[in-house]
Amino acid sequence: MIADLDQRRAVGPEIHGAAPTGDLAELWENHQLDLKLVNPPNRRKFKVIVVGTGLAGAGAAATLSELGYQVEAFTFHDAPRRAHSVAAQGGINAAKGYKADGDSVERFFRDTVKGGDFRAREADAYRLSELSVRVIDHMTAQGVPFAREYGGGIATRSFGGVQVSRTFYARGQTGQQLQIAGSQQLLKEVGAGRLTLHTRTEMLDLIVSEGRAVGIVVRDLVTGEIRPVTAHAVVLATGGYGNAYFKSTLAKSSNVSATWRAHKRGALFANPCYVQFHPTSLPLNSEWQSKVTLMSESLRNDGRVWVPKEPGDTRPPNEIPEEERDYYLERLYPSFGNLAPRDISSRAAKAQLDAGKGVGPLRNGVYLDFSDAIARLGRKTIEDRYSNLFELYIDATGEDPWTEPMRIAPGPHFVMGGLWTDYDGMSSIPGLFVGGEASFNYHGANRLGANSLLSASVDGWFVLPWTVPNYLAPQLGTDPLPEDHPDVQATVRDVREQIDALLSVGGTRGPDYFHKELGDLLWDHVGVERNGHSLAKGADAIRDLREEFWRDVRVVGHGQQLNQELERAGRVADFLEMGELMALDALDREESAGAHFRTEYQTEEGEAQRDDEHWASTSAWAPAGPDGRPVRRSEPLTFERIALATRSYK
Amino acid sequence: MRLQLDVWRQQDASDAGRFERYQVDQAGPEMSVLELLDLLNAQLVDEGREPVAFDHDCREGICGSCGVMVEGRPHGPVDYTPSCLQRLRSFSEGDTVRIEPFRSEAFPVLRDLVVDRSGLDRIVASGGYVSTPTNAAPEAVTMPVNRDEADQAMDFAACIGCGACVAACPNAAAQLFTGAKVAHLASLPQGQVERAERVRNMVDTMEADFGSCTNLGECEPACPADIPLRVIAEMNTEYRKALWRHRRTEEPDRRGIRWLSRLRTGPWWQSDPDERPPGGG
């Protein structure tokens, strides 16, 4: 144990996720009968705030509005369709079993729990699998042009980490098509005058009164106006915090501020150290590159990953003969080969890079080779499957994957951690619901490919519209807090003070400088592999950087206008706090699990070594107390349906 | 490489705005237009000057946030390509590059290169969807779709909503955007029920906010999602058919059975009179 761990954090009482007990297969159905209902004419007496218009937010907002609740939806984008769900390429999983390959709800559930390295709640994972079926029906009915078979049925493909074909897709633009369908449903409600949509409006704080979430404080990004919005319940669907690494596969504006500020108001933050590194992003070519470009993992269906056997081999790939190539995924994991789960693939790639076998101008990638697949299936078939991804690659690198292998490298991609929620998707603050990547509950320590679009869709369309009314029902007859309520005014004041503070530092460096520095620290210390010593060092360095930020940041312009520097500064300030908690959580969790790989805890074969005796639990962090130490609480995880087992993809 | 940049600066909607000239010394051929703006902004912030505001997000060509005029062309010199993927390979040492916001009356400038494209969402909100309440969908494969038709629907559905088509159009028309959505939903069985109503409402809303199409075709090469020009023809055909259908269904007296509707008017069959559909009951 790291000697000073106790000085860094305190340990609090256990917490429980309130999942009902009984047969998993009947859990959700039975639970729905327990959820309280609101009579249709009473629904418009309730106001619900939904922050974020991605798959989870748009789904929840549109459905709650259809049901008759007053919904106010917020996005910092100029249009709901821009939310980052739009960028997911590969697909969405569902246990439809359209192929005779032995797939079922049960198998999908097992794959999700096993893929998550036994760090997810069984009940939630089962519900994800169960409702996946409804999501495909619903999205198809909305006109999502899923790929079809010749007979008119819906096509599926297999995706990293599984041996069945259950991933539905719309070319390489599955996220876009689901996201556009979702925002269309949202706009349908806007057009009907039932839902109020606020674009270019950013949530800057959560209003908590008497222990309940009762509203948010927002800033109009065009005019700079800061105002409170109160309601009966608040739903956060604001995405993940992977941009803490600065160079990630996320969109540039994706940020942690909404969930982090809710956390600072008391919402527990679960498993912040679980970050998935995508094995198939493009290696960075130079300093000015603004982000890591993601290539869909589906490429691994037909591409073979290799590096030269000899370190430092600088020959062009086509001049390296077959016998001097190491197809290391096929060699190390024969039954899954190139489709080994993301964390394993990322770590295996990192090991090759560390061994000096990296390829490309900066020696920071591995090859993904399509020549066998092109020879076997023909160029036409490969074009049908991946043409847009190939074009993206050609454009970004100027290299042609038809004639030479692509180069790929691990990049920060998806966070399994997020605000802690119970089985109903409600955070530790009553009235604050969380959905999609902003939440934590389905993926354990590692997310299966094509499960993120699914979890956001399930939360948005099929969970929150059932559970939010259960919270609202007993509040019938109450009004949202008036804007002049002291708790509302106090929160507005805090937001104004923070903005003034950012504007008045008057330092010498823009927020991006600090963001990049933070990204480098996280990549070095809280990256694909971690160890206790380095994590402690990383946490300290992040703290120092945060202090430097508040001494030396320069935010040009003022607050009463469209000021993107000010927006960035606020987000970076939050990332700097979040980053330290990520390091602390990784330091605290003395085991390896899924994407969290501590070098001290590995098997002889170099695989993640879980410690189920001490760590079969979710860590849920409460904000720092007066002594400055965040408090780690634990939710114990029990596995009744599926026996705890060591993952093996050999 | 060294580039001169003429960039549109405008404090807010009420400011008249003007071009300002900057110089960037370390532009590289693989950089995107947006990364060029990043570089310029880093320079400006270092000098304590206000950076250029511009919309951007995914930088992978899918979110549709970005969009600037580069040398008078929406997104930039390369056809069918969004700003975030326009590389500086198109320029050479010493070039002057003029960057300004999407120019269109339908897109008011909010600041610098940021414009208000909410008119596009108003078109969608007027009918660009399938009305499927959550939980009401039938099993997905009960509605087979021909593979080629699904592919075609996907071609139309690929629109990223950036608004380059409007910016490219001398008339500021949004036909390519609207046509893409109309054609997408009209080519799938799911879109049939509301087919006529959809195109009527979308076109009427479009006409209110945007200019009219005169078939110049400027929009097509500006479109990063390769939406084909023929969606406009498809939309016009759909619209004409819809008007015809509208006339057929609207004209007859649709009171229902007189004695029955008299008897059944009133709140007893529906607890909330406000929830009655417009014109119904």
Side-chain angles (χ1 to χ4, degrees), chain B:
Chain B
M1 115 179 119
R2 172 177 303 191
L3 295 175
Q4 309 254 31
L5 305 182
D6 281 341
V7 181
W8 184 258
R9 301 307 305 261
Q10 182 176 337
Q11 270 297 319
D12 52 37
S14 62
D15 183 16
R18 74 239 144 252
F19 282 103
E20 278 182 25
R21 175 158 294 194
Y22 306 98
Q23 186 172 307
V24 168
D25 293 334
Q26 278 153 346
E30 305 278 291
M31 270 180 148
S32 69
V33 166
L34 302 189
E35 282 161 348
L36 177 67
L37 288 170
D38 287 343
L39 198 64
L40 170 65
N41 279 347
Q43 213 170 288
L44 291 173
V45 169
D46 277 346
E47 295 162 10
R49 297 158 74 187
E50 292 198 34
V52 180
F54 64 100
D55 271 329
H56 65 99
D57 202 22
C58 77
R59 303 215 175 184
E60 290 175 5
I62 198 75
C63 73
S65 298
C66 67
V68 291
M69 303 291 274
V70 181
E71 286 294 291
R73 308 197 48 172
H75 287 309
V78 182
D79 287 346
Y80 309 107
T81 307
S83 301
C84 58
L85 300 179
Q86 292 273 350
R87 310 286 169 182
L88 300 187
R89 287 178 206 122
S90 307
F91 300 100
S92 36
E93 177 72 30
D95 278 0
T96 302
V97 184
R98 197 176 55 158
I99 302 177
E100 57 193 314
F102 274 175
R103 291 291 191 200
S104 170
E105 215 179 300
F107 294 161
V109 175
L110 297 175
R111 186 174 187 190
D112 298 339
L113 307 176
V114 177
V115 297
D116 178 358
R117 290 169 287 188
S118 54
L120 297 177
D121 276 349
R122 284 194 288 280
I123 297 175
V124 176
S126 71
Y129 47 76
V130 178
S131 301
T132 24
T134 303
N135 218 28
E139 158 59 47
V141 284
T142 53
M143 203 180 267
V145 179
N146 175 282
R147 187 181 152 121
D148 293 336
E149 284 168 15
D151 263 359
Q152 195 186 41
M154 182 62 230
D155 286 341
F156 301 146
C159 169
I160 61 172
C162 64
C165 48
V166 177
C169 179
N171 305 324
Q175 250 80 358
L176 198 71
F177 172 82
T178 315
K181 186 47 64 189
V182 167
H184 158 214
L185 293 175
S187 56
L188 288 173
Q190 293 88 332
Q192 298 314 307
V193 174
E194 296 166 290
R195 186 171 178 170
E197 212 180 322
R198 173 182 308 116
V199 68
R200 238 173 29 230
N201 291 336
M202 289 181 77
V203 168
D204 292 349
T205 308
M206 173 186 79
E207 296 285 354
D209 276 0
F210 295 88
S212 294
C213 175
T214 49
N215 293 315
L216 296 170
E218 297 279 329
C219 50
E220 193 187 60
C223 176
D226 279 293
I227 302 297
L229 199 57
R230 68 189 159 88
V231 297
I232 299 178
E234 294 217 12
M235 179 177 67
N236 290 339
T237 312
E238 287 287 314
Y239 188 68
R240 229 161 286 132
K241 277 196 276 186
L243 287 185
W244 178 243
R245 190 185 144 91
H246 189 53
R247 217 164 290 136
R248 261 193 311 137
T249 53
E250 291 289 308
E251 277 169 8
D253 183 354
R254 292 198 295 162
R255 280 175 304 181
I257 305 171
R258 279 161 210 260
W259 63 268
L260 198 60
S261 52
R262 257 199 311 274
L263 247 167
R264 301 201 167 174
T265 305
W268 68 269
W269 60 276
Q270 187 169 43
S271 52
D272 183 1
D274 291 354
E275 300 224 332
R276 260 181 279 166

Side-chain angles (χ1 to χ4, degrees), chain A residues 77 96 98 184 253 554 562, chain B residues 46 57 111 130 139 181:
Chain A
H77 287 109
K96 280 287 196 184
Y98 286 159
Q184 283 168 194
S253 357
R554 163 151 68 186
L562 199 162
Chain B
D46 277 346
D57 202 22
R111 186 174 187 190
V130 178
E139 158 59 47
K181 186 47 64 189

Side-chain angles (χ1 to χ4, degrees), chain A residues 48-76:
Chain A
V48 180
I49 288 169
V50 179
V51 189
T53 59
L55 275 183
T63 310
L64 287 166
S65 172
E66 279 167 5
L67 288 169
Y69 299 96
Q70 288 178 56
V71 178
E72 288 205 33
F74 295 83
T75 172
F76 60 66

